[in-house]
Amino acid sequence: MKSPVTVTVTGAAGQIGYALLFRIASGDMLGKDQPVILNLLEITPAMGALEGVAMELNDCAFPLLQGLNPTDDAERAFDKCDYGLLVGAMPRKQGMERKDLLSANGGIFGPQGKALNKGASRDVKVLVVGNPANTNALIASANAPDLDPSCFNAMMRLDHNRAISQLAEKTGAATTDISGVTIWGNHSSTQFPDLYHAKVGGAEALSKIDEEWYKDDFIPTVQQRGAAIIKARGASSAASAASAAIDHMRNWALGTEGSEWVSMAVPADGSYGIEPGIMFGYPCTCANGKYEIVQGLDLNDFAKEKIAATEAELREERAAVEHLLS
Ligand SMILES: NC(=O)c1ccc[n+]([C@@H]2O[C@H](COP(=O)([O-])OP(=O)(O)OC[C@H]3O[C@@H](n4cnc5c(N)ncnc54)[C@H](O)[C@@H]3O)[C@@H](O)[C@H]2O)c1
Ligand SMILES: O=C(O)C[C@H](O)C(=O)O
């Protein structure tokens, strides 16, 4: 048996937290041979509800769960953290864009970045889920100057999984037959779901669907799926978001072998002309606990235009939180 690792989940009494914690504790995220210590962070008024979640976690008698620490103290929560899932933030309501949450949520991520900087493992993997995820991840990273920026990712995986599911449904394929999907840019309605390199059962995806469906139906459906779920459920996605977070962390920790690539928002490094300073959704592979941006994909004029639009939105979001970046 491996020695335990510390996983910190913020917003642990929220709806994503409730769908996430039991899967982490059962080994879905880091493997059935990896014991975990769960540090659960909440705001003080939610500590009662968090206590209830902790009771239920204990009642599962998970063999891999070797410690459980509910707290409202960020420094305690991130002490010796190996994996951080930053979920705790307000969700949007119907009619809002995710960036409308910046003023409410941006302030959460500076102090959490500082707490990570102080106490987390130096090769911690931090996945920001709370919206607007890309810019919140940027805030957390900027407040953790002693941690490499590559320790911080934001979640594009829900969009990636949504795109796979839509394409599978349209073509009658299994989700496992689909590869090479990328969600570029922001986890927002400007994201670019790219099928130009996607394959269905080894054949070009664009040979199986017509371009009109791709541009007029598929792209807006994936871009607006979060809003459609809020309209239908009266609450934002939770179980699918938790599942995507599990997928993202599992691939980052254990590798993407077997799949062509996955979509992850990582610090822009000039790849595909996106200069540093924002967290950008890219096609990535992972091995040995590190991610790499897939290089050398051809981008046509349509793709370049869409990628420029989502980059522009991320630069605007960055400008709006410049005061939180130091
Ligand atoms: N990136 C994605 O793909 C994606 C998908 C779904 C939801 N989200 C976002 O995830 C966030 C959480 O969604 P939810 O449905 O779980 O919301 P929720 O309201 O059910 O839960 C959020 C929890 O966070 C807690 N919280 C608030 N501030 C905190 C802080 N400073 N420290 C610790 N905890 C804090 C709240 O008390 C609450 O329990 C939202 O911002 C939502 O928009 C992102
Ligand atoms: O859409 C939202 O606000 C929640 C989440 O980001 C989602 O994509 O479902």
Side-chain angles (χ1 to χ4, degrees), residues 306-321:
K306 295 281 178 206
I307 287 173
T310 195
E311 180 187 4
E313 182 184 48
L314 280 167
R315 301 250 174 237
E316 270 170 36
E317 287 185 22
R318 184 195 158 104
V321 299

Side-chain angles (χ1 to χ4, degrees), residues 92 98 131 158-159 162 187 225-227 229-230 236-237:
R92 67 176 163 152
R98 296 180 188 92
N131 277 319
L158 181 53
D159 312 288
R162 287 166 172 166
H187 172 62
R225 188 69 164 182
I229 287 171
I230 291 170
S236 68
S237 64

Side-chain angles (χ1 to χ4, degrees), residues 80 85 93-94 115 131 162 248 293 295 317:
K80 301 188 180 61
L85 293 108
K93 307 260 175 349
Q94 208 174 325
N131 277 319
R162 287 166 172 166
H248 182 122
I293 298 170
Q295 301 293 333
E317 287 185 22

Side-chain angles (χ1 to χ4, degrees), residues 11 14-16 42-43 87-91 112 129 131 155 187 237 241:
Q15 51 154 7
I16 296 176
E42 260 298 346
I43 53 172
V87 177
M90 191 191 285
Q112 292 185 359
V129 175
N131 277 319
M155 193 164 93
H187 172 62
S237 64

